[in-house]
Amino acid sequence: MTLHPPTILVLLLLGYAMLGLQLAMVRRRLLEEQALRRWSWGNTLLLLGHLMLLARIVVPLPVSVIAGNGLILLGECAYVAALQQFIDDRPLPRGVRWVCAFCVAAMLPMALFDTPTRVFIASVLTPLPALWGAWLVWRARHRVERSLWPVGAGLAMIALALLARGVHAALHPAYYVDLTLPNTVQSLMLLTSFIALLGSGFGFVLACTERATRSLERLASHDHLTGALNRQPAELLLANALQRARRERTTVAYVLLDLDRFKSVNDRHGHVFGDEVLRRFAHTVAARLRSSDVFSRCGGEEFALVLPDSDAAGALGVLDELRRACRAMGLVTDDGSPFAVTFSAGISLSPCGRVGADALYREADRALYEAKHGGRDRAVLAQPVLQT
């Protein structure tokens, strides 16, 4: 059975209206608002473009042809711009923008040609932005949300359907003299566009929702300034490390770190510089830890390390490396003076996981107190404790 092309256009219009409503409802609630705003513009332009094509019975044919195809191309370009923003956090490359501008400009003389020629030109030019969008998703498939994969697949389907129609129009122009008449290839192209474009739109919204959810989860578990874990999730990971140490009969080292004289940093150089010191220190520490180590911020300028399968010598070795790395961070104050970061540390050990988390924290805190009152810029190892 061959579907009536105007009927499919009406379905497309209803689908774009539904997607536009969903975009309006979720855009302000998600973090990727700029990308969603561009997708919303693309959806609106596609809606208007198909509306203009359908309105050829009441508007002059040249206006319907030029405006309809031009708006559809602009809508696809907006979709691709949204994808570029979402994936790479940057605007479309200049070359792609020039291609989009050329394709839209090529729609202006469309009314001068007969219908089969117009169909062929539109079928060759319209897939170009969609192909770039499909390539963007394919290129970044290993680092983007999986819900974005159907978006790339949908754009590829649209491009292939349009190209297939272009080939058919070139080989059998008689089928495209009157686009209101039943045409299997034309109907399949429109139906594919209906499914793929709407699927891509809902997939993009889902990808934005997925990213927003992950961002909220990270905000809940990580310190927003330094990127280190917050205390509560770090305590759960410490408990897991102690359980594993009991099973494997290994030692867990727990370290409390405190930046030396940090209050004077804020007082002399301001809180903006103080925040930068905390960020740079946290990034320096995190970059030198194993994947099994846990790094968290306890509050203020105090941080904690959980070092599984690490004895006193191992913990002291890690701290020596961190001390050298902090001195080489290259921080400079507003007046151009170099600024060196030092820290004091207290270390406590849990051989075979026998020392519990509370006892580890108390002993590390006492050792840290000794380090700070013993001259700072040093590490003190707590005396072994027997309690669990």
Side-chain angles (χ1 to χ4, degrees):
M1 180 180 65
T2 302
L3 293 176
H4 192 222
T7 302
I8 303 179
L9 281 176
V10 171
L11 291 176
L12 272 169
L13 293 176
L14 292 175
Y16 288 129
M18 290 169 52
L19 180 57
L21 180 62
Q22 184 190 36
L23 287 167
M25 293 175 61
V26 304
R27 199 178 74 190
R28 296 183 180 276
R29 301 180 183 180
L30 299 181
L31 300 178
E32 297 293 332
E33 185 176 349
Q34 187 173 5
L36 275 172
R37 183 165 58 248
R38 291 179 177 177
W39 197 279
S40 297
W41 273 109
N43 184 74
T44 302
L45 290 168
L46 284 165
L47 173 63
L48 294 175
H50 286 91
L51 185 61
M52 287 302 301
L53 291 180
L54 193 62
R56 64 179 59 196
I57 58 176
V58 293
V59 301
L61 182 63
V63 175
S64 172
V65 170
I66 295 173
N69 287 285
L71 287 169
I72 289 172
L73 255 170
L74 284 173
E76 285 196 29
C77 293
Y79 274 5
V80 174
L83 276 175
Q84 190 91 54
Q85 180 71 40
F86 184 82
I87 294 173
D88 297 327
D89 195 23
R90 65 184 180 91
L92 285 172
R94 181 178 298 177
V96 178
R97 293 201 299 268
W98 276 109
V99 170
C100 289
F102 168 78
C103 292
V104 174
M107 297 295 113
L108 295 177
M110 286 277 281
L112 301 176
F113 304 105
D114 57 27
T115 303
T117 305
R118 292 200 302 266
V119 170
F120 174 77
I121 294 173
S123 299
V124 171
L125 295 180
T126 308
L128 297 180
L131 287 173
W132 179 256
W135 161 247
L136 283 176
V137 177
W138 172 260
R139 185 194 63 186
R141 64 191 182 280
H142 297 304
R143 60 183 176 87
V144 297
E145 290 74 7
R146 291 195 175 187
S147 51
L148 202 65
W149 293 4
V151 178
L155 293 176
M157 285 175 57
I158 294 166
L160 292 175
L162 286 166
L163 290 172
R165 186 184 68 165
V167 172
H168 190 256
L171 297 177
H172 306 283
Y175 285 92
Y176 296 88
V177 174
D178 186 352
L179 296 181
T180 62
L181 296 177
N183 180 335
T184 301
V185 175
Q186 174 82 346
S187 297
L188 287 175
M189 188 279 299
L190 290 173
L191 193 59
T192 300
S193 299
F194 174 73
I195 296 172
L197 280 173
L198 293 180
S200 296
F202 290 117
F204 189 74
V205 172
L206 182 60
C208 291
T209 304
E210 184 179 344
R211 179 170 293 184
T213 302
R214 284 192 329 186
S215 298
L216 291 174
E217 289 174 350
R218 179 171 177 81
L219 285 174
S221 61
H222 289 73
D223 175 59
H224 73 282
L225 176 64
T226 63
L229 278 172
N230 290 325
R231 186 165 181 171
Q232 185 174 5
E235 289 175 350
L236 294 175
L237 292 175
L238 172 59
N240 291 337
L242 292 173
Q243 290 178 0
R244 187 165 57 251
R246 284 192 285 271
R247 291 195 307 268
E248 300 174 0
R249 304 192 66 78
T250 57
T251 298
V252 175
Y254 183 78
V255 184
L256 284 178
L257 307 169
D258 192 272
L259 298 186
D260 294 328
R261 299 182 175 88
F262 185 74
K263 184 178 184 302
S264 66
V265 175
N266 286 328
D267 293 341
R268 294 177 58 187
H269 304 290
H271 288 277
V272 173
F273 183 75
D275 288 347
E276 180 63 17
V277 170
L278 290 172
R279 275 194 295 267
R280 293 282 293 275
F281 172 76
H283 294 167
T284 299
V285 173
R288 285 159 178 81
L289 297 178
R290 302 168 299 178
S291 60
S292 59
D293 298 334
V294 178
F295 177 51
S296 63
R297 186 181 182 188
C298 301
E301 67 274 19
E302 187 173 279
F303 298 84
L305 291 175
V306 178
L307 306 176
D309 195 15
S310 183
D311 56 12
L316 289 169
V318 169
L319 294 176
D320 286 342
E321 182 182 354
L322 294 180
R323 203 179 309 281
R324 290 192 296 269
C326 288
R327 288 171 179 158
M329 282 195 303
L331 282 168
V332 179
T333 60
D334 291 339
D335 60 7
S337 302
F339 184 85
V341 176
T342 64
F343 61 85
S344 302
I347 308 168
S348 58
L349 302 176
S350 179
C352 299
R354 292 194 302 267
V355 180
D358 291 341
L360 277 176
Y361 179 83
R362 286 195 302 270
E363 294 306 315
D365 190 52
R366 289 172 189 165
L368 175 62
Y369 181 85
E370 291 181 24
K372 294 184 73 67
H373 287 268
R376 296 186 174 87
D377 192 20
R378 65 188 62 200
V380 171
L381 178 65
Q383 296 298 317
V385 293
L386 300 178
Q387 62 192 94
T388 59

PDB file of all heavy atoms in Angstrom, residues 346-368:
ATOM      1  N   GLY A 346      49.213  13.428  58.444  1.00  0.00           N
ATOM      2  CA  GLY A 346      49.196  12.419  59.494  1.00  0.00           C
ATOM      3  C   GLY A 346      48.782  11.088  58.895  1.00  0.00           C
ATOM      4  O   GLY A 346      47.810  11.023  58.146  1.00  0.00           O
ATOM      5  N   ILE A 347      49.532  10.026  59.212  1.00  0.00           N
ATOM      6  CA  ILE A 347      49.309   8.710  58.612  1.00  0.00           C
ATOM      7  C   ILE A 347      48.929   7.717  59.691  1.00  0.00           C
ATOM      8  O   ILE A 347      49.581   7.648  60.747  1.00  0.00           O
ATOM      9  CB  ILE A 347      50.580   8.204  57.890  1.00  0.00           C
ATOM     10  CG1 ILE A 347      51.100   9.252  56.905  1.00  0.00           C
ATOM     11  CG2 ILE A 347      50.319   6.886  57.181  1.00  0.00           C
ATOM     12  CD1 ILE A 347      52.488   8.935  56.375  1.00  0.00           C
ATOM     13  N   SER A 348      47.891   6.946  59.427  1.00  0.00           N
ATOM     14  CA  SER A 348      47.561   5.822  60.303  1.00  0.00           C
ATOM     15  C   SER A 348      47.399   4.584  59.436  1.00  0.00           C
ATOM     16  O   SER A 348      47.049   4.680  58.263  1.00  0.00           O
ATOM     17  CB  SER A 348      46.283   6.106  61.103  1.00  0.00           C
ATOM     18  OG  SER A 348      45.198   6.364  60.242  1.00  0.00           O
ATOM     19  N   LEU A 349      47.658   3.417  60.039  1.00  0.00           N
ATOM     20  CA  LEU A 349      47.654   2.153  59.297  1.00  0.00           C
ATOM     21  C   LEU A 349      46.647   1.184  59.884  1.00  0.00           C
ATOM     22  O   LEU A 349      46.396   1.179  61.099  1.00  0.00           O
ATOM     23  CB  LEU A 349      49.041   1.524  59.312  1.00  0.00           C
ATOM     24  CG  LEU A 349      50.195   2.358  58.742  1.00  0.00           C
ATOM     25  CD1 LEU A 349      51.519   1.615  58.931  1.00  0.00           C
ATOM     26  CD2 LEU A 349      49.961   2.674  57.274  1.00  0.00           C
ATOM     27  N   SER A 350      46.102   0.354  59.005  1.00  0.00           N
ATOM     28  CA  SER A 350      45.194  -0.706  59.433  1.00  0.00           C
ATOM     29  C   SER A 350      45.691  -2.026  58.855  1.00  0.00           C
ATOM     30  O   SER A 350      45.279  -2.442  57.767  1.00  0.00           O
ATOM     31  CB  SER A 350      43.767  -0.411  58.948  1.00  0.00           C
ATOM     32  OG  SER A 350      42.889  -1.449  59.342  1.00  0.00           O
ATOM     33  N   PRO A 351      46.606  -2.709  59.584  1.00  0.00           N
ATOM     34  CA  PRO A 351      47.106  -3.996  59.092  1.00  0.00           C
ATOM     35  C   PRO A 351      45.980  -5.031  59.049  1.00  0.00           C
ATOM     36  O   PRO A 351      45.232  -5.207  60.017  1.00  0.00           O
ATOM     37  CB  PRO A 351      48.176  -4.372  60.128  1.00  0.00           C
ATOM     38  CG  PRO A 351      48.511  -3.094  60.833  1.00  0.00           C
ATOM     39  CD  PRO A 351      47.251  -2.308  60.836  1.00  0.00           C
ATOM     40  N   CYS A 352      45.846  -5.682  57.915  1.00  0.00           N
ATOM     41  CA  CYS A 352      44.811  -6.705  57.709  1.00  0.00           C
ATOM     42  C   CYS A 352      43.405  -6.171  57.985  1.00  0.00           C
ATOM     43  O   CYS A 352      42.484  -6.939  58.276  1.00  0.00           O
ATOM     44  CB  CYS A 352      45.077  -7.932  58.581  1.00  0.00           C
ATOM     45  SG  CYS A 352      46.655  -8.729  58.217  1.00  0.00           S
ATOM     46  N   GLY A 353      43.232  -4.834  57.921  1.00  0.00           N
ATOM     47  CA  GLY A 353      41.920  -4.236  58.121  1.00  0.00           C
ATOM     48  C   GLY A 353      41.420  -4.318  59.541  1.00  0.00           C
ATOM     49  O   GLY A 353      40.223  -4.133  59.780  1.00  0.00           O
ATOM     50  N   ARG A 354      42.327  -4.587  60.512  1.00  0.00           N
ATOM     51  CA  ARG A 354      41.872  -4.784  61.896  1.00  0.00           C
ATOM     52  C   ARG A 354      41.511  -3.476  62.584  1.00  0.00           C
ATOM     53  O   ARG A 354      40.746  -3.484  63.548  1.00  0.00           O
ATOM     54  CB  ARG A 354      42.951  -5.504  62.702  1.00  0.00           C
ATOM     55  CG  ARG A 354      43.194  -6.950  62.294  1.00  0.00           C
ATOM     56  CD  ARG A 354      44.013  -7.682  63.346  1.00  0.00           C
ATOM     57  NE  ARG A 354      45.283  -7.031  63.563  1.00  0.00           N
ATOM     58  CZ  ARG A 354      46.413  -7.339  62.942  1.00  0.00           C
ATOM     59  NH1 ARG A 354      46.406  -8.302  62.024  1.00  0.00           N
ATOM     60  NH2 ARG A 354      47.537  -6.708  63.213  1.00  0.00           N
ATOM     61  N   VAL A 355      42.065  -2.361  62.133  1.00  0.00           N
ATOM     62  CA  VAL A 355      41.761  -1.055  62.721  1.00  0.00           C
ATOM     63  C   VAL A 355      40.594  -0.442  61.964  1.00  0.00           C
ATOM     64  O   VAL A 355      40.642  -0.303  60.741  1.00  0.00           O
ATOM     65  CB  VAL A 355      42.984  -0.128  62.665  1.00  0.00           C
ATOM     66  CG1 VAL A 355      42.654   1.221  63.289  1.00  0.00           C
ATOM     67  CG2 VAL A 355      44.175  -0.778  63.369  1.00  0.00           C
ATOM     68  N   GLY A 356      39.554  -0.097  62.707  1.00  0.00           N
ATOM     69  CA  GLY A 356      38.351   0.423  62.063  1.00  0.00           C
ATOM     70  C   GLY A 356      38.512   1.839  61.558  1.00  0.00           C
ATOM     71  O   GLY A 356      39.493   2.529  61.842  1.00  0.00           O
ATOM     72  N   ALA A 357      37.490   2.302  60.821  1.00  0.00           N
ATOM     73  CA  ALA A 357      37.562   3.608  60.186  1.00  0.00           C
ATOM     74  C   ALA A 357      37.644   4.738  61.210  1.00  0.00           C
ATOM     75  O   ALA A 357      38.429   5.682  61.049  1.00  0.00           O
ATOM     76  CB  ALA A 357      36.349   3.803  59.279  1.00  0.00           C
ATOM     77  N   ASP A 358      36.863   4.667  62.274  1.00  0.00           N
ATOM     78  CA  ASP A 358      36.877   5.737  63.281  1.00  0.00           C
ATOM     79  C   ASP A 358      38.232   5.842  63.952  1.00  0.00           C
ATOM     80  O   ASP A 358      38.756   6.947  64.148  1.00  0.00           O
ATOM     81  CB  ASP A 358      35.792   5.489  64.328  1.00  0.00           C
ATOM     82  CG  ASP A 358      34.391   5.664  63.757  1.00  0.00           C
ATOM     83  OD1 ASP A 358      34.271   6.311  62.695  1.00  0.00           O
ATOM     84  OD2 ASP A 358      33.442   5.133  64.373  1.00  0.00           O
ATOM     85  N   ALA A 359      38.817   4.700  64.282  1.00  0.00           N
ATOM     86  CA  ALA A 359      40.126   4.709  64.930  1.00  0.00           C
ATOM     87  C   ALA A 359      41.196   5.228  63.970  1.00  0.00           C
ATOM     88  O   ALA A 359      42.096   5.973  64.372  1.00  0.00           O
ATOM     89  CB  ALA A 359      40.480   3.307  65.410  1.00  0.00           C
ATOM     90  N   LEU A 360      41.086   4.850  62.706  1.00  0.00           N
ATOM     91  CA  LEU A 360      42.052   5.352  61.718  1.00  0.00           C
ATOM     92  C   LEU A 360      42.007   6.876  61.650  1.00  0.00           C
ATOM     93  O   LEU A 360      43.047   7.547  61.616  1.00  0.00           O
ATOM     94  CB  LEU A 360      41.746   4.770  60.340  1.00  0.00           C
ATOM     95  CG  LEU A 360      42.276   3.373  60.019  1.00  0.00           C
ATOM     96  CD1 LEU A 360      41.784   2.947  58.645  1.00  0.00           C
ATOM     97  CD2 LEU A 360      43.800   3.338  60.056  1.00  0.00           C
ATOM     98  N   TYR A 361      40.798   7.425  61.619  1.00  0.00           N
ATOM     99  CA  TYR A 361      40.669   8.875  61.517  1.00  0.00           C
ATOM    100  C   TYR A 361      41.241   9.558  62.762  1.00  0.00           C
ATOM    101  O   TYR A 361      41.977  10.552  62.652  1.00  0.00           O
ATOM    102  CB  TYR A 361      39.200   9.260  61.338  1.00  0.00           C
ATOM    103  CG  TYR A 361      38.985  10.761  61.249  1.00  0.00           C
ATOM    104  CD1 TYR A 361      39.163  11.428  60.042  1.00  0.00           C
ATOM    105  CD2 TYR A 361      38.625  11.496  62.376  1.00  0.00           C
ATOM    106  CE1 TYR A 361      38.992  12.800  59.952  1.00  0.00           C
ATOM    107  CE2 TYR A 361      38.455  12.867  62.297  1.00  0.00           C
ATOM    108  CZ  TYR A 361      38.644  13.514  61.086  1.00  0.00           C
ATOM    109  OH  TYR A 361      38.486  14.871  61.005  1.00  0.00           O
ATOM    110  N   ARG A 362      40.939   9.033  63.963  1.00  0.00           N
ATOM    111  CA  ARG A 362      41.440   9.649  65.192  1.00  0.00           C
ATOM    112  C   ARG A 362      42.956   9.636  65.232  1.00  0.00           C
ATOM    113  O   ARG A 362      43.599  10.648  65.567  1.00  0.00           O
ATOM    114  CB  ARG A 362      40.866   8.929  66.415  1.00  0.00           C
ATOM    115  CG  ARG A 362      39.402   9.212  66.695  1.00  0.00           C
ATOM    116  CD  ARG A 362      39.027   8.772  68.102  1.00  0.00           C
ATOM    117  NE  ARG A 362      39.282   7.351  68.297  1.00  0.00           N
ATOM    118  CZ  ARG A 362      38.402   6.394  68.063  1.00  0.00           C
ATOM    119  NH1 ARG A 362      37.195   6.710  67.595  1.00  0.00           N
ATOM    120  NH2 ARG A 362      38.694   5.128  68.291  1.00  0.00           N
ATOM    121  N   GLU A 363      43.551   8.510  64.870  1.00  0.00           N
ATOM    122  CA  GLU A 363      45.009   8.416  64.941  1.00  0.00           C
ATOM    123  C   GLU A 363      45.673   9.295  63.877  1.00  0.00           C
ATOM    124  O   GLU A 363      46.705   9.931  64.136  1.00  0.00           O
ATOM    125  CB  GLU A 363      45.434   6.955  64.765  1.00  0.00           C
ATOM    126  CG  GLU A 363      44.986   6.041  65.899  1.00  0.00           C
ATOM    127  CD  GLU A 363      45.439   6.559  67.259  1.00  0.00           C
ATOM    128  OE1 GLU A 363      46.619   6.970  67.372  1.00  0.00           O
ATOM    129  OE2 GLU A 363      44.622   6.576  68.194  1.00  0.00           O
ATOM    130  N   ALA A 364      45.095   9.339  62.675  1.00  0.00           N
ATOM    131  CA  ALA A 364      45.654  10.202  61.634  1.00  0.00           C
ATOM    132  C   ALA A 364      45.522  11.668  62.026  1.00  0.00           C
ATOM    133  O   ALA A 364      46.413  12.485  61.755  1.00  0.00           O
ATOM    134  CB  ALA A 364      44.950   9.942  60.309  1.00  0.00           C
ATOM    135  N   ASP A 365      44.415  12.028  62.692  1.00  0.00           N
ATOM    136  CA  ASP A 365      44.216  13.407  63.124  1.00  0.00           C
ATOM    137  C   ASP A 365      45.239  13.789  64.186  1.00  0.00           C
ATOM    138  O   ASP A 365      45.788  14.904  64.168  1.00  0.00           O
ATOM    139  CB  ASP A 365      42.794  13.563  63.649  1.00  0.00           C
ATOM    140  CG  ASP A 365      42.422  15.009  63.894  1.00  0.00           C
ATOM    141  OD1 ASP A 365      42.597  15.823  62.960  1.00  0.00           O
ATOM    142  OD2 ASP A 365      41.957  15.332  64.996  1.00  0.00           O
ATOM    143  N   ARG A 366      45.530  12.866  65.112  1.00  0.00           N
ATOM    144  CA  ARG A 366      46.557  13.138  66.133  1.00  0.00           C
ATOM    145  C   ARG A 366      47.935  13.289  65.497  1.00  0.00           C
ATOM    146  O   ARG A 366      48.719  14.181  65.849  1.00  0.00           O
ATOM    147  CB  ARG A 366      46.590  12.008  67.154  1.00  0.00           C
ATOM    148  CG  ARG A 366      45.377  11.961  68.078  1.00  0.00           C
ATOM    149  CD  ARG A 366      45.390  10.718  68.926  1.00  0.00           C
ATOM    150  NE  ARG A 366      44.135  10.555  69.672  1.00  0.00           N
ATOM    151  CZ  ARG A 366      43.758   9.448  70.256  1.00  0.00           C
ATOM    152  NH1 ARG A 366      44.529   8.362  70.192  1.00  0.00           N
ATOM    153  NH2 ARG A 366      42.612   9.392  70.914  1.00  0.00           N
ATOM    154  N   ALA A 367      48.227  12.430  64.519  1.00  0.00           N
ATOM    155  CA  ALA A 367      49.518  12.524  63.836  1.00  0.00           C
ATOM    156  C   ALA A 367      49.619  13.826  63.045  1.00  0.00           C
ATOM    157  O   ALA A 367      50.687  14.446  62.982  1.00  0.00           O
ATOM    158  CB  ALA A 367      49.707  11.319  62.919  1.00  0.00           C
ATOM    159  N   LEU A 368      48.512  14.251  62.440  1.00  0.00           N
ATOM    160  CA  LEU A 368      48.512  15.517  61.715  1.00  0.00           C
ATOM    161  C   LEU A 368      48.761  16.676  62.673  1.00  0.00           C
ATOM    162  O   LEU A 368      49.508  17.623  62.334  1.00  0.00           O
ATOM    163  CB  LEU A 368      47.168  15.693  61.006  1.00  0.00           C
ATOM    164  CG  LEU A 368      46.944  17.027  60.284  1.00  0.00           C
ATOM    165  CD1 LEU A 368      47.968  17.219  59.171  1.00  0.00           C
ATOM    166  CD2 LEU A 368      45.527  17.094  59.718  1.00  0.00           C
TER     167      LEU A 368
END
